[in-house]
Amino acid sequence: MSEPSQPYRTYSEVKLQQQQLLRKNVIDAACILLVEEGPEAVTVRRVAQKLSCSTKIIYSIFGSKDGLANEMYLDGCRLLAETFQQVPVTQNVLADLEALCWAYWEFARLHSAYYKMMFGGALSDFKPDEQSLEGTTTALSRILQTVIHAMELGALKEQNPLLVVRMLWSALHGVIHLQFAGHFLTVDMAQEVYAFTLRNTLDVCKPSSSPA
């Protein structure tokens, strides 16, 4: 007869569980402020008010506002990775790559507060740390894998795949950033520029024998 499962937790286990729950609650509260009121509302004082706790508790967990911002950044990276994972894999690798780039557009549209914090400098005094930058790399790994696969199939020229991803990212981010800044009269105009930029950036990477 098997031993019954332990019906209790040790003090250390309970304390750790409470710390993890509190940490998640703080991040969730900060993310809600970010989405509902914008990046300027994300302060330790406002988060503490939302949770009805002292700022000292938040500082004891994250060390600083930057520590909290880094956790929010990683939360955004997880959302971005999930967005990419929802894009199906097909037999057309270039169509898959385009679909991933449009998924990036959708992430910026649906999660604009996160996007502006992560890539638009919305929290002007925040600079992502090494862990956060690694989170970005992980989120973009699906695009990198697709670029590598396209090169293996001869759909893209053999070159540094990471440079290709960064070129795509930079070009597409530029369009999104301009849209957020109000430089396009309509969303349709921004989408047209985005599609044009995507198409021509990919064309540069194709073998010369590939059709335009």
Side-chain angles (χ1 to χ4, degrees):
M1 185 175 180
S2 61
E3 290 288 331
S5 60
Q6 183 172 295
Y8 60 87
R9 296 179 185 272
T10 65
Y11 171 77
S12 296
E13 289 173 336
V14 171
K15 187 176 181 180
L16 177 59
Q17 187 179 40
Q18 289 175 337
Q19 288 174 336
Q20 291 172 337
L21 178 59
L22 179 57
R23 186 182 188 90
K24 182 179 185 306
N25 279 343
V26 173
I27 295 170
D28 288 347
C31 289
I32 288 172
L33 282 172
L34 175 68
V35 171
E36 292 183 349
E37 302 183 34
E40 65 281 353
V42 182
T43 65
V44 173
R45 181 180 62 81
R46 288 294 309 281
V47 174
Q49 287 176 344
K50 199 165 188 66
L51 291 174
S52 298
C53 70
S54 70
T55 57
K56 183 178 179 181
I57 290 176
I58 297 176
Y59 282 122
S60 70
I61 298 173
F62 298 98
S64 64
K65 180 185 174 182
D66 274 0
L68 174 57
N70 270 307
E71 291 292 339
M72 295 169 65
Y73 187 103
L74 289 171
D75 199 56
C77 287
R78 285 187 286 271
L79 275 174
L80 180 56
E82 289 171 6
T83 300
F84 288 143
Q85 289 306 317
Q86 291 170 6
V87 177
V89 178
T90 72
Q91 297 300 311
N92 187 330
V93 68
L94 290 182
D96 290 353
L97 185 54
E98 289 189 21
L100 289 168
C101 291
W102 280 107
Y104 184 72
W105 166 275
E106 284 300 303
F107 172 81
R109 184 181 68 85
L110 296 174
H111 305 288
S112 59
Y114 274 107
Y115 189 93
K116 291 173 184 177
M117 183 203 71
M118 294 165 67
F119 307 129
L123 298 181
S124 57
D125 55 348
F126 167 67
K127 301 296 179 186
D129 63 12
E130 186 175 344
Q131 183 185 15
S132 293
L133 293 175
E134 185 64 30
T136 308
T137 301
T138 301
L140 293 173
S141 62
R142 173 77 189 280
I143 293 182
L144 178 61
Q145 292 164 5
T146 305
V147 166
I148 292 173
H149 186 45
M151 289 179 182
E152 292 170 346
L153 294 176
L156 294 179
K157 290 184 290 189
E158 286 284 346
Q159 51 193 318
N160 187 330
L162 188 56
L163 285 179
V164 172
V165 172
R166 287 174 174 167
M167 177 178 69
L168 267 173
W169 185 22
S170 299
L172 299 179
H173 167 71
V175 179
I176 292 171
H177 194 64
L178 286 172
Q179 183 204 8
F180 284 149
H183 291 287
F184 300 115
L185 294 178
T186 65
V187 174
D188 287 344
M189 181 184 293
Q191 284 184 308
E192 183 180 2
V193 175
Y194 192 88
F196 182 82
T197 302
L198 173 58
R199 183 171 62 252
N200 282 276
T201 304
L202 285 178
D203 281 349
V204 171
C205 300
K206 293 178 184 178
S208 55
S209 58
S210 293

